Amino acid sequence: VLALSTDKAVSPANLYGASKLAAERIFVAANNVAGHGATRYAIVRYGNVVGSRGSVVPLFQRLIRDGATSLPITDSRMTRFWITLDQGVDFVVSSLEMMQGGEIFVPKIPSMRVADLATAMAPSLKHENVGIRPGEKLHESLVTVDEARHTLETEDRFIVEPSFSFWRRTAKAYRDARKVGEDFAYTSDNNSEWLDIPAMREMLSTSGIA
């Protein structure tokens, strides 16, 4: 069984994120209850899905369609991770194939400033800084420094392994993985991969968003 989580679960700043964090903890702990049974539980954790109700894209779309003269930006420095629905589905399927039980799988996905997203969607509109809302973060995290001690890295993902004393992955499981540094953190502002405006427009087009 694979649970779908979000960057909001990492160091949560609101009740939504706290509920996601609780869901992650419950799913990891479920492997204790399952014991030697056949059922295993793991998690995928990723960022904003382009065009989903949880992203700002539908809001910008509606404002543009309604003839807005500006788009609201909470903070010009704000960054987020971005993934398409198809990429998310592919990642879930691949994680199901490799999971041993108890892991948190995190895809390597690009970041972008929300202000640049607004420019990509409506280059002629001004930005109105409206301030960060309660419970909203300036940047998001997908892997924390505290998790780095038991996090592995592969070409396309990070794998946060469970800290159970009895947990052992099989020899064939993600065999090319390597440990990250103990001071590692994966945040939307320190990402090595960034979307520029043409790349975001391509992502929006691929997702069926004009």
Side-chain angles (χ1 to χ4, degrees), residues 56-75:
V56 73
V57 171
L59 170 63
F60 285 170
Q61 275 186 301
R62 178 175 58 80
L63 292 172
I64 294 166
R65 184 177 61 247
D66 293 345
T69 58
S70 63
L71 294 180
I73 304 295
T74 52
D75 191 297

Side-chain angles (χ1 to χ4, degrees), residues 157-189:
R157 72 192 66 207
F158 299 101
I159 305 165
V160 183
E161 295 185 298
S163 56
F164 301 136
S165 59
F166 64 82
W167 191 88
R168 297 290 185 276
R169 64 179 179 275
T170 64
K172 294 182 179 179
Y174 32 95
R175 62 176 63 186
D176 296 328
R178 58 193 180 277
K179 291 280 292 183
V180 302
E182 289 197 0
D183 59 348
F184 173 80
Y186 187 38
T187 65
S188 60
D189 61 324

Side-chain angles (χ1 to χ4, degrees), residues 14 49 51 56 65 78 80 87-88 98 108 126 138 151 155 161 168 178 189 198 208:
N14 53 36
V49 178
V56 73
R65 184 177 61 247
M78 182 174 287
R80 291 293 183 266
Q87 289 170 338
M98 68 172 61
K108 292 182 178 179
K126 297 179 180 179
L138 190 60
T151 296
E155 183 178 356
E161 295 185 298
R168 297 290 185 276
R178 58 193 180 277
D189 61 324

Side-chain angles (χ1 to χ4, degrees), residues 13-66:
N14 53 36
L15 182 59
Y16 172 73
S19 68
K20 285 289 189 179
L21 174 61
E24 286 191 0
R25 295 293 188 267
I26 290 168
F27 251 72
V28 171
N31 291 278
N32 273 322
V33 180
H36 295 293
T39 305
R40 291 291 177 263
Y41 303 87
I43 299 153
V44 294
R45 179 198 286 168
Y46 46 68
N48 288 268
V49 178
V50 175
S52 69
R53 288 181 297 173
S55 79
V56 73
V57 171
L59 170 63
F60 285 170
Q61 275 186 301
R62 178 175 58 80
L63 292 172
I64 294 166
R65 184 177 61 247
D66 293 345

